[in-house]
Amino acid sequence: MNNRTPIIELRGAPHLRKAPSVDQIMRNVVYALLPICGFAVYQFGLSALALILATTLACICTEHLFCRLSDKPTTIGDFSAVITGLLLALTLPPGFPLWMAVVAGFVAIALTKVMFGGIGFNVFNPALVGRAFVQAAFPVAITTWTPAFAPGRFTEFIPSTLTLPFVVPKSVAGWVERIAVDGYTGATPLALQKFGDGNLEHVTTQNADLFFGMTAGSAGETSALLILVCGAYLAVRRMMDWHIPAAMLLGAFVTSGGFYLVDAGAYPTPLFTLLSGGLMLGALFMASDMVASPTTPRGVWIYGILIGFLTVIIRLFGGLPEGVMYAILFGNAASPLIGAFTQPRVYGTGRKKATKP
Amino acid sequence: MQPDDLTFIFLNAFIINNFVLAFFLGLCPFLGVSAKLDTAWNMGLATMFVMLVSSLCAYGVNMLLVEFNLEFLRLICYIAVIASAVQLVEITIKKVSPELFRALGIFLPLITTNCAILGLALFQTFKEYDFLQCLVYSAGAGAGFTLALMLMAGLRVKLDLADVPSISRGSAISFMLAGILSLTFMGFAGLGGH
Amino acid sequence: MADLHHKPTPITMDTFLRGIWKENPVFVMLLGLCPALAVTNTTMNAIGMGLATLFVLVCSSALVSLLRSVIPKQVRIASYIVIIATFVTIVDYAIHAISLELYNALGAFIQLIVANCVILGRAESYASKNRVTKSVVNAFGIGIGFTFALLCLGTVREVLGSGTILGYSLFGESFQPWVVMVLPPGGFFVIGAWLLLFSWLKERKQRKILKQEETARATG
Amino acid sequence: MGLKQLLGLGKATFSHGIHPPEYKAVTGSKAIRRLYFAPEMILPLSQHFGAPSIPIVHEGQEVVRGEVVARADGFMSVPLHAPATGIIKSIGLTRTARGPRVPAIVLKLHAGVSQEVLYDSPQDTSEMSPAAVIDAVKETGMVGLGGASFPTHVKMTVPEDHKVHTVMVNGCECEPYLTTDHRVMLEYSMDLFAGIQVAMKATGAEKAIIGIEDNKPDAIKALRNACPADGSVTVGVMETKYPQGAEKMMIKALIGKEVPSGGYPSSVGVSVFNVATLAQLGALLPQGHGLIERVVTISGPGIEKPGNYLVALGTPLRFVLDQLGFQGDARQLIVGGPMMGSSVASLDVPVTKGVSGILILTEEGISKQIPKKTWPCIRCAYCVQACPIHLNPSELGMLAAKRQYETMEEKYHLNDCFECGCCTYVCPSGIPLVQYFRIAKAINRENRERAA
Amino acid sequence: MSGDVQSQSPPMPSSLSMIRTLGLIAMISGLLVVLVARYTEPIIKEKERLALEQAVFQVIPGVVQATATRVSFALSEDGLVRLDEETGTGEANLFAVYDDSGMLMGIALQAAAQGYQDVVRTLYGYDPKCECIVGLVIMKSTDTPGMGDKNTLEGNRQFMANFDALSVQLAEDQSRLAHAVETVKHGTKTGIWQVDAISGATITSRAISRGLNESAQKMLPLIARHLHVLKVNN
């Protein structure tokens, strides 16, 4: 082409871009999750590995399938389905039957994402909806915990893992008894604390154990330190809004601290609250899900604190030992409202002008 | 907490056994009036108000019926009382505050056919609540209805801007949303239960 | 509507069938959702609730239609409500007498049939304007449509949620029930799934028609 | 931001904004040089904001450099002067940078003429009344040289109910690549101070602040030294951040006040002028010259001789680029800065009053910058944290995608957006937010006009 | 809409005709309701009695349904009142079961406590001789199906075995239980007054034992006071 004939192609300003693209962000979240997955596999062995693979594959396949069905180009390239799959696996008990994990993955993508128009429109965190669904559907299987660092975990599966589809999983009680050593039992620190022996004595796990992940629990929630480090990686790279985890941890800390001050005998210490259960994982990787959280600076704080508060309330007074999942889902549900009431004050408009919903 | 503790009664109606999300009561307005935030808010307020009034009326009527051993007329009386209570509320609001009437007016007739109101009256009778408990129960139910309605409205406004696939557009997506909300509220089960 | 009295339209198959599919109260008109979701965690409950509603619907339609020339316009809604409440009370007692178990399972939702907009809607928009036989035939159609919808929901929920149908085990002991289906969220999910299925079928049909038209145009 | 300022840690600035790479080193150190005259000049009649000028010459007429060739059409308009001595070739439609054709005068230069300005009427502004100063400014045809091309005399006319106490001189030049203001401040500082005096006189302000970003320490130092001893003119240093040079942002940074939404800087007692504008004014007014040339940064990886050049207005881009060694095509060409400038529709468009820079980017550079794919908004809120006006571009963008333009205006303050491009710059989904907003505003304006 | 309709509607008919119509409708409905209520009342009563009886007999081991009799009592601080089928007006809260010779076989009591979703109601059998709970049925539980519902609970043999002989021995002063009934984590039962929880349904298990404890703490001291009356059916 003659370079004297200009090619008319008007591009709008700005002509500079800086941001990481969506797939870059998503890929980095995956990188940040990989060490946690690695630790889960190290801790729980083959079953955790199978679980992670199962949910991830289920999520990817579901997304691909629906894209094919609706004649759209496949969207699995943006890694968001992978994130959903990994997060889902990390929140499930390590011995969770694989077929149930696949159900969870399918529900997560189909119900929360595809249904609403794909990435960017999932008003709830898909992984959590998937988990909440299987929690309601298979309440027994999802509260069956197995001990960490079981001997022979790299050579054999936890018996419940390989349950046939649509079949009740085998009881793992006998297996746990056989392999349990050094006092590692299947009970999670939270369950011990809540349903501890007798009605009054609460058994609390050592904070150091919680910090380094030497306990039973969901596949990827056990090591607070590792999760913090991986989350910090994202926050430093500005691929996660650090305000949300900060607000959520603050909310949980203050709420549980308040109760602890009122009655130190009945309530766990705030530190225990922060380190136990899925609070860390939820705060750093799920509540901070960009799509389902508010976009306004003030809204982000309210959202985080609300989730932290609800988590503690459900843990202390609810029927379940763990409340992070429900608290975050509630936060997701409330985030449009929070957003509507906390629109930023626009430059040059009155200071007190509240935006009417 | 005891099951007849006032706080527990409130929480129970408010979030644990939310009228809309656990009992499916008041689904028509829940799906119909949740497209916008301000209408949802007004509808919630109107419902809460009517709930309070009709719950107290139903309490009185039930006392009379039990007194005269006429329990078999309960349903007929309740529905009549609720319908007239709504009318009365409408007239009173119109007189007292025309402004409020303008905001709530169009919702009031809708409320008459809202099964949550009748459901509230029936539940409180089955649970044999006393006057104060009825008051708290209806306040909780109304607040719970408003909460569910507002959450739904927020989500729907957000989804208005989404590229929702054509087959799930409309009511299907509302039901799925309600389902996820209901799933979320299951987390509150057992709250204060020990 | 005045001339409806003079020139009654004949009863056709459509009077009856309309309510079952084209104007299905639950799937199309989205009315009466409260009982449709609240009690359909088992097929038995769904049938019970469906039949109870059918009964109230038919009886109240008949009575309203019978009294349609007597009831003054101003008090018509009040009259309809009283009539409906009467039949609901009757059904309530009847179910209580027939089966305690069903009565306990349905609970307050039998009495809540009163607030089911399907019934009041039929009375107001159909029975008050048509002859008794026609109203009854139409009410039958609507009632069966309602029961059918409840069955659609109830069967799916019971089969998945407890692995049984009408209480009989389908898959044997080893089946893992999906408990969520008999819980409230399951109700929402199942009706949502049915609606999705229907709109998918509709869309496919439309696409087919479009394609046919296109090929017709191309060849013709 | 507020906290930092309170503790005296940070430099004066506004909240939010972005830090794009500067790319200023190449041209910032090069002195301004004059460019050759092109054989043919194109003078669009609308080089300013407001009504186009009305030609007062006819085809075939000879004009002298500096002569008025088109007069102002009313108050919101400025006259146009001949940039060179020559003959009027035609008066008709010609292309512009943004695409649509506009009426223009085409001037054919006489070869071998000295091109000295012979058309002037020296005057002394210090003896004139403010109104007379404003008239004199209008006669120079001066517009804002920062890019907006808003007639300077209009800006100097303070609304009756407002009082201006400060003239703010905008030397931020926050757009990457551009260094014209930087060079002007260094090389024409005396003219600048003269211009500041004119502006102060016209607006009735008692003091003036020259706002400069801290990435130009030499300019800060030079101007500080040159400031008059009475303290009426000071230099304010601001953090280097985009869009620090936007009026509203600079006012916020320097005096901490916010211009009310929909209002003018004069509502908070401020008038803002670009340094290049005032420097030019300071040079032109005493001699009664018209605006016929300006300093343009020509930069970017696609040009052999980047630098700051004094270019006669009306010079076609093709000529400029030929002179400086460019072999590409129009796709890599941007008129203005990279953040707010536009890519050009044709190489035949001329340099006009508002052109502060011509950037030649490489095709690879562009394709690396502009995302190949657009994702739906993932609500990352980067844009919310970038918008200097504190809008919610994410929400606005979603509304725009659904064509809910009225809601955007009523609920989300669309009209406060000044299209700085920060939101698009940071958007990981590659959503062309600014373009959306531009379209939305245009459609709303159209609808309003249709309704009226 | 209302304004629209009113403008079209014919002039108000006389209020008399309105009242007449409403009166007519009220009469028809009243008649229907009363008829049905009167007809079904005995059937309903009989069914409820049977259901209760069945439950009561179920919680007392060794009952021969054909020969055993059930007597309802209202027991409170004010004393023990025998409620006969015909004369009884008060609320029954104690059901005594006698064998064919009129000797007390056991006592059925009601208990309730807030469970996971709603109140869990139970009926339990108390044997005064061994001072223990000898049987339990779940009357109502809406807790998670598959975990805490009636069928799952009653189908869990291991859990129900807790109530084959759960000690509710009274303390020395006869005013409270020697050991409160309490739930312990699955597999850690040590005392005969402890309930071994169902793993996974801890809340429901706890609700049951809490209900039992509350009811027993309140009723058993009262029963002890009136045991001589209850012992023989007369």
Side-chain angles (χ1 to χ4, degrees):
Chain A
M1 196 188 292
N2 180 359
N3 62 18
R4 293 281 125 178
T5 320
I7 300 161
I8 307 295
E9 182 191 357
L10 290 178
R11 286 202 178 96
H15 306 275
L16 291 181
R17 303 291 173 95
K18 183 210 84 176
S21 63
V22 168
D23 56 344
Q24 270 170 309
I25 295 181
M26 298 295 170
R27 211 175 317 137
N28 273 283
V29 177
V30 174
Y31 295 156
L33 284 173
L34 283 179
I36 304 177
C37 294
F39 187 70
V41 174
Y42 166 65
Q43 203 179 5
F44 296 105
L46 270 183
S47 288
L49 183 65
L51 186 68
I52 292 167
L53 289 178
T55 51
T56 312
L57 279 178
C59 288
I60 294 175
C61 292
T62 311
E63 180 141 331
H64 187 68
L65 175 80
F66 277 103
C67 285
R68 288 274 309 265
L69 277 182
S70 54
D71 296 330
K72 272 193 236 161
T74 183
T75 50
I76 51 174
D78 60 27
F79 283 91
S80 63
V82 179
I83 295 178
T84 302
L86 291 180
L87 278 178
L88 183 59
L90 293 181
T91 58
L92 293 171
F96 200 59
L98 294 182
W99 74 268
M100 292 181 185
V102 171
V103 169
F106 175 81
V107 168
I109 296 293
L111 188 66
T112 332
K113 224 171 135 194
V114 177
M115 184 83 196
F116 297 126
I119 185 173
F121 301 121
N122 46 310
V123 285
F124 291 93
N125 182 316
L128 286 181
V129 172
R131 193 194 191 277
F133 185 87
V134 285
Q135 167 104 50
F138 314 117
V140 178
I142 208 161
T143 45
T144 307
W145 309 100
T146 48
F149 303 109
R153 60 189 183 277
F154 296 117
T155 48
E156 63 168 350
F157 287 101
I158 299 169
S160 52
T161 299
L162 296 175
T163 312
L164 288 174
F166 301 102
V167 167
V168 184
K170 267 183 261 154
S171 166
V172 295
W175 179 80
V176 168
E177 235 157 73
R178 187 162 58 77
I179 56 113
V181 282
D182 303 338
Y184 282 133
T185 62
T188 64
L190 274 175
L192 281 177
Q193 189 270 328
K194 193 174 185 92
F195 306 126
D197 287 320
N199 277 336
L200 296 167
E201 282 174 60
H202 292 281
V203 180
T204 33
T205 313
Q206 286 295 311
N207 283 333
D209 282 350
L210 292 169
F211 197 61
F212 294 111
M214 303 294 143
T215 62
S218 294
E221 68 177 26
T222 50
S223 171
L225 173 68
L226 190 60
I227 296 168
L228 268 177
V229 169
C230 294
Y233 163 78
L234 280 185
V236 166
R237 299 210 60 183
R238 292 242 313 134
M239 294 185 177
M240 172 180 81
D241 189 353
W242 61 270
H243 295 92
I244 295 175
M248 180 168 157
L249 296 179
L250 179 78
F253 188 82
V254 169
T255 315
S256 62
F259 284 112
Y260 183 71
L261 285 182
V262 170
D263 185 353
Y267 301 111
T269 63
L271 197 62
F272 175 82
T273 307
L274 287 197
L275 297 178
S276 59
L279 192 78
M280 261 322 153
L281 189 69
L284 287 149
F285 287 98
M286 297 193 202
S288 59
D289 179 353
M290 291 165 168
V291 185
S293 56
T295 51
T296 58
R298 266 186 309 153
V300 161
W301 280 104
I302 297 175
Y303 168 83
I305 290 174
L306 174 78
I307 295 177
F309 169 78
L310 282 179
T311 304
V312 175
I313 293 294
I314 294 177
R315 276 189 186 177
L316 294 183
F317 304 105
L320 294 164
E322 178 59 304
V324 173
M325 170 177 75
Y326 293 110
I328 296 178
L329 282 176
F330 189 87
N332 290 164
S335 84
L337 276 186
I338 296 173
F341 286 106
T342 56
Q343 283 302 322
R345 186 188 66 82
V346 172
Y347 178 104
T349 57
R351 209 153 271 278
K352 282 278 165 207
K353 202 181 156 204
T355 333
K356 247 199 107 187
Chain B
M1 245 183 275
Q2 292 300 312
D4 49 0
D5 192 287
L6 287 185
T7 323
F8 181 76
I9 289 176
F10 183 84
L11 279 180
N12 186 41
F14 183 45
I15 46 177
I16 302 173
N17 285 313
N18 187 286
F19 268 45
V20 184
L21 299 174
F23 291 145
F24 308 97
L25 292 169
L27 267 185
C28 298
F30 179 67
L31 297 175
V33 202
S34 61
K36 276 195 181 132
L37 276 178
D38 44 353
T39 45
W41 176 242
N42 286 335
M43 178 71 186
L45 281 190
T47 309
M48 186 140 78
F49 189 61
V50 173
M51 272 184 168
L52 275 172
V53 172
S54 58
S55 147
L56 297 185
C57 292
Y59 177 75
V61 169
N62 190 44
M63 280 219 320
L64 281 179
L65 290 177
V66 172
E67 186 68 35
F68 294 108
N69 239 335
L70 290 172
E71 281 102 329
F72 54 84
L73 288 179
R74 187 183 285 143
L75 187 60
I76 299 177
C77 292
Y78 274 10
I79 192 88
V81 162
I82 288 170
S84 27
V86 174
Q87 284 289 313
L88 271 179
V89 166
E90 199 174 343
I91 294 167
T92 326
I93 294 183
K94 208 174 189 173
K95 278 260 163 65
V96 176
S97 161
E99 218 161 277
L100 190 66
F101 181 75
R102 234 168 290 136
L104 304 186
I106 48 162
F107 301 113
L108 286 170
L110 272 176
I111 294 171
T112 323
T113 51
N114 184 343
C115 41
I117 313 274
L118 182 66
L120 174 74
L122 291 174
F123 287 155
Q124 74 181 24
T125 314
F126 290 154
K127 292 184 183 233
E128 298 174 351
Y129 282 155
D130 64 23
F131 182 78
L132 205 59
Q133 288 171 328
C134 282
L135 201 70
V136 171
Y137 189 58
S138 56
F145 182 78
T146 314
L147 176 70
L149 203 60
M150 289 295 280
L151 290 179
M152 188 71 178
L155 291 172
R156 280 182 65 178
V157 168
K158 193 168 171 182
L159 282 175
D160 267 352
L161 304 177
D163 293 339
V164 176
S166 58
I167 62 161
S168 56
R169 224 168 276 160
S171 40
I173 205 162
S174 301
F175 280 116
M176 291 301 186
L177 270 184
I180 299 178
L181 273 183
S182 177
L183 214 52
T184 305
F185 273 61
M186 280 183 62
F188 297 117
L191 208 59
H194 46 99
Chain C
M1 55 188 111
D3 43 28
L4 275 178
H5 289 284
H6 302 297
K7 238 196 301 172
T9 44
I11 301 172
T12 58
M13 213 44 201
D14 186 57
T15 317
F16 177 69
L17 287 180
R18 175 168 280 262
I20 297 178
W21 187 248
K22 232 190 323 183
E23 284 180 12
N24 188 293
V26 176
F27 290 136
V28 181
M29 322 244 280
L30 297 176
L31 293 173
L33 292 171
C34 161
L37 297 177
V39 300
T40 49
N41 46 8
T42 67
T43 321
M44 197 60 221
N45 289 357
I47 294 174
M49 175 54 85
L51 293 183
T53 311
L54 176 72
F55 171 79
V56 176
L57 197 54
V58 170
C59 293
S60 60
S61 278
L63 196 58
V64 166
S65 180
L66 209 62
L67 297 175
R68 70 183 188 280
S69 51
V70 195
I71 300 175
K73 225 180 168 115
Q74 284 73 12
V75 293
R76 65 182 196 289
I77 298 289
S79 320
Y80 301 159
I81 288 179
V82 171
I83 291 172
I84 295 167
T86 307
F87 288 110
V88 173
T89 314
I90 291 171
V91 161
D92 187 51
Y93 276 99
I95 293 183
H96 203 166
I98 293 166
S99 161
L100 260 187
E101 205 181 324
L102 186 61
Y103 183 78
N104 285 334
L106 297 181
F109 289 98
I110 305 176
Q111 303 202 9
L112 280 170
I113 294 177
V114 180
N116 189 335
C117 349
V118 177
I119 301 174
L120 189 65
R122 275 299 106 182
E124 162 75 359
S125 67
Y126 207 91
S128 63
K129 292 169 194 163
N130 286 292
R131 282 174 300 125
V132 178
T133 40
K134 196 172 175 192
S135 311
V136 168
V137 168
N138 179 267
F140 243 107
I142 295 278
I144 288 178
F146 188 75
T147 314
F148 166 72
L150 259 59
L151 263 178
C152 284
L153 297 173
T155 331
V156 173
R157 290 180 72 182
E158 188 179 341
V159 168
L160 270 180
S162 5
T164 59
I165 190 149
L166 286 170
Y168 296 106
S169 176
L170 276 183
F171 310 107
E173 278 287 291
S174 64
F175 178 75
Q176 165 73 49
W178 299 37
V179 181
V180 67
M181 287 301 162
V182 296
L183 295 175
F188 287 116
F189 291 144
V190 171
I191 191 171
W194 277 111
L195 289 174
L196 275 182
L197 180 71
F198 292 145
S199 72
W200 182 68
L201 287 176
K202 210 164 120 191
E203 197 158 273
R204 213 177 56 156
K205 206 166 124 192
Q206 271 168 355
R207 218 179 293 159
K208 222 177 238 170
I209 292 172
L210 267 178
K211 216 174 247 174
Q212 272 172 1
E213 273 173 10
E214 254 166 46
T215 49
R217 210 172 301 144
T219 53
Chain D
M1 82 291 140
L3 190 69
K4 261 194 205 163
Q5 259 166 309
L6 267 180
L7 297 173
L9 289 173
K11 290 174 200 89
T13 189
F14 60 100
S15 61
H16 294 182
I18 54 173
H19 294 96
E22 293 178 15
Y23 303 117
K24 294 197 191 220
V26 194
T27 53
S29 53
K30 285 191 182 151
I32 299 168
R33 285 163 51 201
R34 184 179 286 278
L35 206 68
Y36 295 114
F37 283 86
E40 209 170 88
M41 302 277 195
I42 303 156
L43 308 172
L45 291 172
S46 183
Q47 298 188 26
H48 52 268
F49 183 88
S53 332
I54 299 166
I56 54 171
V57 291
H58 54 82
E59 271 178 41
Q61 183 178 339
E62 298 231 358
V63 290
V64 182
R65 185 165 196 234
E67 184 183 344
V68 177
V69 291
R71 64 176 167 82
D73 180 15
F75 180 65
M76 194 55 140
S77 182
V78 289
L80 193 61
H81 302 76
T85 304
I87 186 164
I88 304 292
K89 188 183 168 199
S90 65
I91 300 177
L93 291 177
T94 185
R95 284 216 175 103
T96 56
R98 284 188 194 261
R101 286 167 181 270
V102 293
I105 299 171
V106 179
L107 181 68
K108 198 169 162 43
L109 262 65
H110 289 318
V113 176
S114 72
Q115 299 296 11
E116 257 172 70
V117 184
L118 302 167
Y119 210 90
D120 54 3
S121 51
Q123 48 199 330
D124 185 4
T125 47
S126 58
E127 299 293 312
M128 293 156 102
S129 70
V133 172
I134 289 171
D135 279 343
V137 169
K138 183 177 178 184
E139 287 315 309
T140 61
M142 182 59 72
V143 300
L145 297 182
S149 313
F150 195 82
T152 306
H153 69 276
V154 181
K155 235 180 178 180
M156 285 181 169
T157 315
V158 182
E160 276 182 15
D161 50 338
H162 291 166
K163 197 183 155 356
V164 167
H165 51 71
T166 307
V167 163
M168 228 170 245
V169 187
N170 187 347
C172 296
E173 199 159 53
C174 53
E175 280 262 18
Y177 287 108
L178 303 190
T179 51
T180 55
D181 292 352
H182 186 188
R183 291 315 304 177
V184 165
M185 284 189 284
L186 284 175
E187 295 178 34
Y188 301 152
S189 56
M190 282 308 110
D191 290 337
L192 175 59
F193 282 104
I196 292 173
Q197 294 305 329
V198 173
M200 283 166 74
K201 172 130 203 192
T203 55
E206 303 99 51
K207 53 184 184 95
I209 308 175
I210 308 172
I212 308 176
E213 283 185 339
D214 59 2
N215 60 350
K216 298 179 260 294
D218 47 349
I220 296 169
K221 202 170 153 209
L223 290 185
R224 275 215 171 120
N225 291 336
C227 276
D230 63 356
S232 60
V233 183
T234 49
V235 174
V237 181
M238 291 177 285
E239 189 191 330
T240 307
K241 184 156 93 175
Y242 179 85
Q244 187 72 74
E247 255 176 23
K248 290 180 169 182
M249 303 305 110
M250 199 166 93
I251 294 172
K252 174 85 181 171
L254 288 179
I255 62 168
K257 283 187 183 153
E258 290 188 0
V259 181
S261 166
Y264 300 102
S266 59
S267 344
V268 289
V270 176
S271 264
V272 185
F273 301 96
N274 188 275
V275 277
T277 312
L278 290 189
Q280 274 283 10
L281 211 53
L284 297 176
L285 259 189
Q287 275 128 44
H289 283 178
L291 178 62
I292 51 173
E293 55 190 5
R294 66 158 300 158
V295 182
V296 179
T297 299
I298 297 159
S299 182
I303 194 104
E304 281 167 24
K305 292 180 248 170
N308 287 296
Y309 294 91
L310 194 57
V311 185
L313 295 175
T315 310
L317 288 191
R318 190 188 298 278
F319 179 81
V320 176
L321 299 174
D322 278 349
Q323 297 271 315
L324 302 176
F326 161 71
Q327 293 296 319
D329 61 48
R331 244 195 304 188
Q332 296 106 303
L333 214 82
I334 292 157
V335 167
M339 294 302 294
M340 290 181 78
S342 44
S343 57
V344 293
S346 150
L347 286 181
D348 295 321
V349 304
V351 171
T352 57
K353 290 178 179 176
V355 173
S356 50
I358 299 168
L359 303 181
I360 300 90
L361 306 178
T362 50
E363 184 60 38
E364 308 90 79
I366 294 183
S367 53
K368 211 188 279 171
Q369 294 282 355
I370 310 295
K372 283 170 223 71
K373 195 179 154 193
T374 305
W375 283 272
C377 173
I378 57 164
R379 294 176 169 268
C380 59
Y382 287 177
C383 52
V384 180
Q385 285 152 27
C387 181
I389 293 285
H390 292 218
L391 298 171
N392 190 339
S394 145
E395 201 75 40
L396 280 167
M398 299 234 211
L399 286 165
K402 294 280 166 186
R403 293 168 208 273
Q404 299 186 14
Y405 300 131
E406 270 120 59
T407 322
M408 291 169 73
E409 191 173 310
E410 285 157 16
K411 266 195 180 163
Y412 293 96
H413 305 272
L414 172 66
N415 289 344
D416 283 309
C417 169
F418 65 94
E419 299 168 23
C420 63
C422 288
C423 47
T424 316
Y425 176 78
V426 297
C427 183
S429 292
I431 301 170
L433 290 163
V434 189
Q435 280 87 328
Y436 278 180
F437 303 159
R438 236 175 255 146
I439 294 167
K441 284 192 209 166
I443 288 178
N444 278 341
R445 208 177 308 127
E446 240 170 64
N447 288 345
R448 254 197 307 275
E449 274 159 18
R450 204 174 301 147
Chain E
M1 156 219 156
S2 59
D4 208 38
V5 170
Q6 256 150 32
S7 62
Q8 286 175 6
S9 62
M12 281 280 269
S14 68
S15 39
L16 190 71
S17 84
M18 290 206 285
I19 292 170
R20 207 172 45 211
T21 322
L22 278 181
L24 175 78
I25 290 169
M27 256 171 55
I28 298 176
S29 67
L31 194 75
L32 280 171
V33 168
V34 170
L35 272 179
V36 173
R38 283 276 164 273
Y39 177 70
T40 53
E41 206 177 357
I43 308 178
I44 293 169
K45 275 222 164 129
E46 179 60 18
K47 285 210 164 183
E48 277 182 342
R49 194 185 64 79
L50 275 175
L52 180 68
E53 195 143 272
Q54 210 188 344
V56 167
F57 288 161
Q58 205 181 326
V59 295
I60 315 263
V63 170
V64 183
Q65 289 219 11
T67 53
T69 43
R70 171 190 62 103
V71 183
S72 308
F73 293 92
L75 179 64
S76 66
E77 291 288 342
D78 307 331
L80 182 73
V81 182
R82 186 186 168 116
L83 303 170
D84 285 317
E85 293 299 329
E86 296 81 30
T87 57
T89 47
E91 192 82 28
N93 62 359
L94 186 155
F95 310 97
V97 179
Y98 301 96
D99 61 12
D100 49 355
S101 59
M103 292 305 289
L104 183 67
M105 296 183 73
I107 295 168
L109 296 160
Q110 290 162 325
Q114 176 68 30
Y116 186 63
Q117 200 77 36
D118 207 346
V119 178
V120 180
R121 289 182 194 285
T122 52
L123 188 81
Y124 64 95
Y126 170 64
D127 186 346
K129 283 194 286 290
C130 78
E131 290 196 74
C132 54
I133 289 171
V134 288
L136 179 91
V137 282
I138 315 287
M139 301 299 278
K140 186 184 160 226
S141 167
T142 51
D143 285 6
T144 321
M147 284 180 96
D149 64 326
K150 178 178 159 73
N151 289 337
T152 315
L153 289 174
E154 290 184 351
N156 190 326
R157 296 241 175 79
Q158 214 180 354
F159 179 66
M160 294 312 279
N162 279 311
F163 310 104
D164 288 345
L166 184 70
S167 168
V168 282
Q169 198 178 9
L170 285 173
E172 291 293 311
D173 61 355
Q174 301 271 301
S175 68
R176 56 185 179 82
L177 300 187
H179 298 281
V181 177
E182 63 181 17
T183 306
V184 296
K185 209 170 76 67
H186 180 64
T188 59
K189 175 170 175 163
T190 48
I192 47 169
W193 59 89
Q194 285 175 336
V195 176
D196 191 4
I198 300 182
S199 122
T202 321
I203 296 272
T204 316
S205 315
R206 277 191 178 185
I208 290 171
S209 62
R210 206 170 54 243
L212 290 180
N213 187 47
E214 268 165 32
S215 165
Q217 295 277 19
K218 191 176 133 217
M219 298 294 287
L220 296 195
L222 291 175
I223 291 176
R225 233 182 284 162
H226 298 283
L227 197 59
H228 55 282
V229 188
L230 287 167
K231 262 211 164 117
V232 185
N233 185 17
N234 41 27

